[in-house]
Amino acid sequence: MLRSWLIVVAIAALFLIWGFFVFFSVGDKGPPEWDFGVVEDIPGQSPYATEYAEPTPQHVSD
C-alpha cells in the first residue's frame, strides 16, 4: 500500500518539477517586436464573404 502511494506521489512530483522547469526556462519575452498594423475583422469586407454562384439544390423530397 505504501509503495503504490509513493509511486503516485513520485509521478505527481515529476509533473510539478517538469512544469516548474518549463515555466522558468521559457520566461516572459514581453511584447513581440513585429507589428502588422490594423487588420480588419469585419466579415462583410472580405472578398470571400459573398458567394456569387447559386447554391446547388439539395435532393430533399417535399
Side-chain angles (χ1 to χ4, degrees):
M1 178 90 171
L2 180 63
R3 182 178 176 189
S4 59
W5 275 108
L6 287 176
I7 292 172
V8 170
V9 170
I11 292 172
L14 285 173
F15 273 108
L16 285 173
I17 291 169
W18 177 253
F20 280 119
F21 170 72
V22 170
F23 179 76
F24 288 114
S25 66
V26 171
D28 184 14
K29 309 244 188 288
E33 298 174 2
W34 44 263
D35 183 19
F36 290 124
V38 178
V39 178
E40 293 184 14
D41 194 20
I42 302 170
Q45 301 242 342
S46 171
Y48 303 106
T50 55
E51 186 173 329
Y52 297 109
E54 289 291 323
T56 307
Q58 298 183 1
H59 301 287
V60 179
S61 62
D62 290 330

mmCIF file of all heavy atoms in Angstrom, residues 51-58:
data_model
loop_
_atom_site.group_PDB
_atom_site.id
_atom_site.type_symbol
_atom_site.label_atom_id
_atom_site.label_comp_id
_atom_site.label_asym_id
_atom_site.label_seq_id
_atom_site.Cartn_x
_atom_site.Cartn_y
_atom_site.Cartn_z
ATOM 1 N N GLU A 51 -20.930 35.041 -51.888
ATOM 2 C CA GLU A 51 -20.900 33.929 -52.838
ATOM 3 C C GLU A 51 -21.700 34.346 -54.064
ATOM 4 O O GLU A 51 -22.880 34.684 -53.961
ATOM 5 C CB GLU A 51 -21.510 32.676 -52.201
ATOM 6 C CG GLU A 51 -21.384 31.459 -53.072
ATOM 7 C CD GLU A 51 -21.850 30.208 -52.353
ATOM 8 O OE1 GLU A 51 -21.719 30.136 -51.142
ATOM 9 O OE2 GLU A 51 -22.364 29.316 -53.035
ATOM 10 N N TYR A 52 -21.064 34.335 -55.214
ATOM 11 C CA TYR A 52 -21.714 34.822 -56.421
ATOM 12 C C TYR A 52 -22.484 33.723 -57.150
ATOM 13 O O TYR A 52 -23.373 34.006 -57.916
ATOM 14 C CB TYR A 52 -20.673 35.435 -57.353
ATOM 15 C CG TYR A 52 -20.013 36.642 -56.736
ATOM 16 C CD1 TYR A 52 -18.694 36.584 -56.312
ATOM 17 C CD2 TYR A 52 -20.708 37.829 -56.570
ATOM 18 C CE1 TYR A 52 -18.087 37.688 -55.746
ATOM 19 C CE2 TYR A 52 -20.112 38.932 -55.995
ATOM 20 C CZ TYR A 52 -18.793 38.857 -55.585
ATOM 21 O OH TYR A 52 -18.211 39.948 -55.022
ATOM 22 N N ALA A 53 -22.155 32.475 -56.917
ATOM 23 C CA ALA A 53 -22.810 31.376 -57.612
ATOM 24 C C ALA A 53 -24.068 30.962 -56.825
ATOM 25 O O ALA A 53 -24.144 31.088 -55.617
ATOM 26 C CB ALA A 53 -21.880 30.196 -57.751
ATOM 27 N N GLU A 54 -25.039 30.468 -57.577
ATOM 28 C CA GLU A 54 -26.236 29.956 -56.920
ATOM 29 C C GLU A 54 -25.892 28.656 -56.183
ATOM 30 O O GLU A 54 -25.152 27.833 -56.708
ATOM 31 C CB GLU A 54 -27.329 29.687 -57.957
ATOM 32 C CG GLU A 54 -27.934 30.927 -58.542
ATOM 33 C CD GLU A 54 -28.771 31.686 -57.537
ATOM 34 O OE1 GLU A 54 -29.451 31.023 -56.717
ATOM 35 O OE2 GLU A 54 -28.718 32.913 -57.540
ATOM 36 N N PRO A 55 -26.435 28.463 -55.001
ATOM 37 C CA PRO A 55 -26.158 27.210 -54.299
ATOM 38 C C PRO A 55 -26.771 26.023 -55.015
ATOM 39 O O PRO A 55 -27.799 26.124 -55.681
ATOM 40 C CB PRO A 55 -26.791 27.414 -52.925
ATOM 41 C CG PRO A 55 -27.775 28.496 -53.102
ATOM 42 C CD PRO A 55 -27.293 29.342 -54.231
ATOM 43 N N THR A 56 -26.134 24.885 -54.900
ATOM 44 C CA THR A 56 -26.623 23.663 -55.513
ATOM 45 C C THR A 56 -27.860 23.188 -54.745
ATOM 46 O O THR A 56 -27.798 23.049 -53.524
ATOM 47 C CB THR A 56 -25.546 22.563 -55.466
ATOM 48 O OG1 THR A 56 -24.356 23.079 -56.036
ATOM 49 C CG2 THR A 56 -25.993 21.328 -56.209
ATOM 50 N N PRO A 57 -28.980 22.943 -55.461
ATOM 51 C CA PRO A 57 -30.185 22.487 -54.742
ATOM 52 C C PRO A 57 -29.967 21.098 -54.140
ATOM 53 O O PRO A 57 -29.300 20.246 -54.738
ATOM 54 C CB PRO A 57 -31.271 22.474 -55.812
ATOM 55 C CG PRO A 57 -30.538 22.454 -57.113
ATOM 56 C CD PRO A 57 -29.219 23.090 -56.881
ATOM 57 N N GLN A 58 -30.525 20.896 -52.983
ATOM 58 C CA GLN A 58 -30.396 19.599 -52.331
ATOM 59 C C GLN A 58 -31.504 18.673 -52.787
ATOM 60 O O GLN A 58 -32.590 19.108 -53.179
ATOM 61 C CB GLN A 58 -30.444 19.767 -50.811
ATOM 62 C CG GLN A 58 -29.305 20.601 -50.287
ATOM 63 C CD GLN A 58 -29.351 20.677 -48.771
ATOM 64 O OE1 GLN A 58 -30.217 20.104 -48.136
ATOM 65 N NE2 GLN A 58 -28.430 21.406 -48.204
#
